């Protein structure tokens, strides 16, 4: 079922921000570690380099910087933030990393929590935050997508290690009495296909006391059946986006920007071609960051807003997809400055 915000209160996208690690690892450098090369990686994925969190950096710091940049763009007093949602699958603390970001921001009136939906996480968090705003119970929210998949990658598995990088992005959204910026959205899950892409816990049990064992808290590296995930993405993303466009009677040619989860340039191209969207309207920064999971969409949005490709009033068709399996789409207007 496609949902829309269907509420008296609209939502306005008024700020965005991002932050990435300093360390850049290019494809040739990865070729020193595994049997791969720049030509293969570029032609199969569009990725040229990725950023990796180093010793003096942290995901929470990146997420804080991204959020702060979004709040600055929105020109908010941090005390007016009601809600902070951190979409991540790689928290520094399994109990949740969002409260630490709330404290770093000095956003003392905000409630903060983590949300996990892998690469769809940002979109799921955005829609979740929009419900609080639409209900009228909150006015201002910061939605962050941040991931450090490089700590869970098997750096000796060439099929996955070339794909991922670290980063953080954020948006600032607030209620508005004017036109609702979030036109509509849809979110989906299919756990029956979850085996295609996992970051499973290890199944190690250690002795606790006589006659009892306890499970050791530990995770295995990322495992992915790339072809299956690829097929899923190029099938489901056009369906969910197409249904949304139909529902709101928006023609693909009215879309100003196609903003997809940055997993593979071939997926971006395939989806764009299904809607005959020209390449100039397809946002891509895969070349520089690879797949930063929950961060890809706000990271790309921030780049395109700050370099003034995205202008106030532009219509953005957005879709995220990934582990779960999970996927979603949203149509929204950018209302912020620039
Ligand atoms: O964010 C979550 C969503 N994730 C995705 O959307 C990922 C979706 N999947 C993909 O993007 C693609 O499936 C990959 C980029 C992961 C792989 O591309 P592919 O065209 O499906 O390649 P493949 O796995 O079928 O591998 C083709 C060949 C194989 O060799 P053989 O068996 O044909 O001899 C692989 O061993 O390419 C080989 N290969 C590599 N060669 C050089 C696989 N990885 C590499 C590599 N360098 N890094």
């Amino acid at each position: 079922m496609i949902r829309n915000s269907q509420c008296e209160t609209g939502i306005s996208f008024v700020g965005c921000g991002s932050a990435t690690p300093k360390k850049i690892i290019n494809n040739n450098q990865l070729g020193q570690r595994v049997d791969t090369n720049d030509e293969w990686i570029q032609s199969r994925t569009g990725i040229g380099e990725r950023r990796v969190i180093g010793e003096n950096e942290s995901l929470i710091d990146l997420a804080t910087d991204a959020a702060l940049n979004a709040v600055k763009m929105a020109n908010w007093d941090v005390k007016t933030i009601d809600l902070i949602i951190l979409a991540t699958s790689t928290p520094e603390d399994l109990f949740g990393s969002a409260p630490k970001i709330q404290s770093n921001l000095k956003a003392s009136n905000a409630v903060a929590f983590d949300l996990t939906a892998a690469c769809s996480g940002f979109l799921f968090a955005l829609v979740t935050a929009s419900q609080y705003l639409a209900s009228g119970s909150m006015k201002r929210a910061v939605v962050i997508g941040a991931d450090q998949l490089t700590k869970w990658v098997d750096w000796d598995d060439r099929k996955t290690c070339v794909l991922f990088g670290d980063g953080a992005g954020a948006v600032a959204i607030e209620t508005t009495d004017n036109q609702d910026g979030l036109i509509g959205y849809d979110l989906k899950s299919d756990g029956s296909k979850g085996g295609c892409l996992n970051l499973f816990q290890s199944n190690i049990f250690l002795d606790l006391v006589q006659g009892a064992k306890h499970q050791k808290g530990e995770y295995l590296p990322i495992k992915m059946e790339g072809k299956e995930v690829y097929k899923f993405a190029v099938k489901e993303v056009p369906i969910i986006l197409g249904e949304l466009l139909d529902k709101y009677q928006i023609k693909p040619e009215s879309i100003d920007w196609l903003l997809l989860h940055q997993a593979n340039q071939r997926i971006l191209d395939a989806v764009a071609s299904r809607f005959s969207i020209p390449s100039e309207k397809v946002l891509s920064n895969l070349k520089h960051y690879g797949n930063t999971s929950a961060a890809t969409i706000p990271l790309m949005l921030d780049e395109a807003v700050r370099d003034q490709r995205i202008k106030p009033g532009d219509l953005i068709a957005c879709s995220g997809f990934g582990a779960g399996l999970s996927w979603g789409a949203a149509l929204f207007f950018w209302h912020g400055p620039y």
Side-chain angles (χ1 to χ4, degrees):
M1 187 185 70
I2 295 172
R3 295 87 167 173
N4 62 19
S5 29
Q6 285 170 341
C7 54
E8 294 104 61
T9 316
I11 288 150
S12 194
F13 288 74
V14 292
C16 57
S18 63
T20 53
K22 287 191 189 69
K23 192 74 197 165
I24 299 172
I25 308 284
N26 67 31
N27 293 342
N28 288 326
Q29 288 171 289
L30 277 189
Q32 296 161 19
R33 169 92 189 210
V34 287
D35 182 14
T36 191
N37 55 74
D38 184 56
E39 200 281 324
W40 192 95
I41 303 172
Q42 295 257 15
S43 61
R44 298 282 179 134
T45 70
I47 298 167
E49 59 192 27
R50 71 285 298 141
R51 307 251 174 156
V52 178
I53 288 180
E55 280 168 313
N56 298 318
E57 296 173 312
S58 81
L59 188 72
I60 286 181
D61 287 347
L62 292 183
T64 301
D65 287 349
L68 207 53
N69 291 336
V71 170
K72 276 189 196 150
M73 187 189 283
N75 206 13
W76 289 352
D77 175 346
V78 287
K79 297 282 183 288
T80 65
I81 303 169
D82 300 307
L83 172 68
I84 297 168
I85 305 183
L86 170 67
T88 189
S89 307
T90 54
E92 290 182 22
D93 182 340
L94 274 183
F95 289 156
S97 288
K100 181 70 182 141
I101 297 166
Q102 179 250 16
S103 137
N104 288 348
L105 291 174
K106 300 189 174 48
S108 50
N109 294 313
V111 62
F113 59 88
D114 292 15
L115 181 150
T116 301
C119 300
S120 309
F122 175 77
L123 211 52
F124 278 43
L126 177 68
V127 170
T128 302
S130 78
Q131 308 305 303
Y132 287 92
L133 270 52
S135 73
S137 66
M138 293 183 178
K139 288 193 172 355
R140 287 183 164 171
V142 177
V143 181
I144 308 163
D147 264 312
Q148 186 181 359
L149 283 185
T150 61
K151 71 178 172 185
W152 295 113
V153 158
D154 176 353
W155 286 104
D156 295 314
D157 173 12
R158 70 175 183 173
K159 290 191 172 186
T160 52
C161 77
V162 300
L163 304 173
F164 300 105
D166 303 330
V171 294
I173 56 172
E174 65 183 4
T175 53
T176 177
D177 295 329
N178 299 324
Q179 184 192 23
D180 191 356
L182 183 58
I183 300 166
Y185 59 85
D186 198 10
L187 305 177
K188 287 182 187 274
S189 305
D190 182 0
S192 71
K193 299 205 179 85
C196 296
L197 180 48
N198 309 102
L199 207 172
F200 269 136
Q201 62 178 0
S202 61
N203 201 23
I204 298 170
F205 281 79
L206 302 174
D207 290 331
L208 173 61
V209 291
Q210 195 167 10
K213 288 181 181 283
H214 74 91
Q215 189 165 11
K216 189 171 182 325
E218 203 175 74
Y219 288 85
L220 299 169
I222 294 169
K223 258 186 56 200
M224 183 171 76
E225 288 172 36
K227 273 211 184 314
E228 291 309 308
V229 180
Y230 185 94
K231 279 192 272 179
F232 145 74
V234 296
K235 175 172 175 254
E236 297 296 348
V237 173
I239 292 175
I240 199 168
L241 256 183
E243 287 175 353
L244 214 48
L245 291 169
D246 285 351
K247 158 132 189 174
Y248 294 97
Q249 297 178 344
I250 294 172
K251 294 202 165 66
E253 52 268 35
S254 306
I255 296 169
D256 293 301
W257 300 104
L258 184 64
L259 172 54
L260 302 183
H261 167 52
Q262 309 277 300
N264 188 322
Q265 187 63 42
R266 289 187 291 144
I267 296 176
L268 306 191
D269 296 343
V271 175
S273 90
R274 290 285 290 275
F275 295 103
S276 303
I277 296 174
S279 58
E280 313 86 75
K281 289 185 170 187
V282 182
L283 294 168
S284 173
N285 61 6
L286 268 161
K287 194 169 173 49
H288 298 296
Y289 301 107
N291 180 346
T292 56
S293 190
T296 63
I297 291 173
L299 188 61
M300 183 66 251
L301 177 76
D302 187 48
E303 182 181 313
V305 165
R306 285 177 196 270
D307 69 18
Q308 302 186 349
R309 268 177 287 171
I310 295 179
K311 302 206 167 39
D314 277 0
L315 172 62
I316 298 168
C318 184
S319 178
F321 53 89
L325 297 174
S326 60
W327 66 108
L331 299 171
F332 64 90
F333 290 109
W334 171 250
H335 281 154
Y338 283 83

